[in-house]
Amino acid sequence: FKAWHETAKPAKHRVFNLGVGGDTVADMLSRGPSECQARRPNLVVLYPGLNDSRRRGSVSEAPATSLDQFTTTLHTLIKALGGISPTLVMSSVPPDESRTNPFRGGYFFSESDAYEITRAIASICSSPETYYFPLFERWCNQQDRKDLLLDGLHCNAQGHRELFKELRLFLTEKFEVNAT
């Protein structure tokens, strides 16, 4: 993605990966706006939700972030980033519960929790400067979606290729960039 996006438009665009493993939307809010303000990107891409929906210790524990808190924090983050550059928010991949219950470190991820987070993301992403990429919805309808995941949460090489193909098409349509 980085190589393609940095050369896709007539003017060169830089891509910074500011993702930190395990970050919740509150973590993104605490550092995202200041980091983006310093870099002045042409597009901010957010992938929130899965870490907010994780449950620690057992599937019956409360998610790391309540749905209300997630919604409020994501809305605040998008608003803060909106003054800096357009923002693209992606929903998560649908977790493969057969490999995520439990997951590393005693976490539990469920498709129903990811679905609820996805619904919240979709409802928030309605402003003109925010774009929504419905990865969860797209991949839920794919028969081979579990084959695209390395560990039940993260894309494997084939999943990254598929995600790049879909995201490139989406960005090409939304931002009129060269698809090659």
Side-chain angles (χ1 to χ4, degrees), residues 3 6 28 30 36 38 44 69 85-86 94-95 103 108 119 123 126 128 130 137 163 171:
E6 286 184 342
M28 291 178 186
S30 72
C36 290
V44 173
Q69 187 62 42
S85 75
F103 195 72
F108 292 78
R119 287 184 46 205
S123 70
S126 59
T130 304
E137 296 92 324
L163 174 57
L171 290 172

Side-chain angles (χ1 to χ4, degrees), residues 1 4-5 9 43 45 88 131 133 164-178:
F1 176 80
W4 170 77
H5 188 67
K9 291 185 173 188
L43 175 67
V45 180
L88 168 66
Y131 301 92
F133 183 72
F164 170 69
K165 186 171 62 175
E166 292 181 38
L167 189 55
R168 181 180 65 187
L169 179 61
F170 180 85
L171 290 172
T172 300
E173 292 171 355
K174 297 292 181 189
F175 294 96
E176 299 177 13
V177 296
N178 183 352

Side-chain angles (χ1 to χ4, degrees), residues 88-160:
L88 168 66
V89 184
M90 296 173 49
S91 58
S92 72
V93 298
D96 176 359
E97 292 181 15
S98 70
R99 296 188 282 170
T100 62
N101 288 324
F103 195 72
R104 298 179 215 141
Y107 294 113
F108 292 78
F109 294 87
S110 77
E111 190 173 318
S112 63
D113 288 340
Y115 174 75
E116 289 302 317
I117 290 281
T118 295
R119 287 184 46 205
I121 293 169
S123 70
I124 292 168
C125 295
S126 59
S127 67
E129 63 276 347
T130 304
Y131 301 92
Y132 175 59
F133 183 72
L135 181 60
F136 185 93
E137 296 92 324
R138 289 171 184 238
W139 283 24
C140 264
N141 297 323
Q142 284 188 228
Q143 237 177 336
D144 67 342
R145 69 183 167 106
K146 293 180 181 182
D147 297 334
L148 301 175
L149 300 176
L150 177 67
D151 56 9
L153 286 180
H154 303 97
C155 292
N156 58 24
Q158 179 185 352
H160 279 291

Side-chain angles (χ1 to χ4, degrees), residues 54-67:
R54 71 181 172 220
R55 296 169 186 261
R56 179 154 198 147
S58 79
V59 74
S60 62
E61 293 296 321
T65 308
S66 74
L67 194 56

Side-chain angles (χ1 to χ4, degrees), residues 38-58:
R39 290 174 175 84
R40 305 302 294 178
N42 300 92
L43 175 67
V44 173
V45 180
L46 301 174
Y47 185 76
L50 273 180
N51 290 324
D52 294 280
S53 72
R54 71 181 172 220
R55 296 169 186 261
R56 179 154 198 147
S58 79

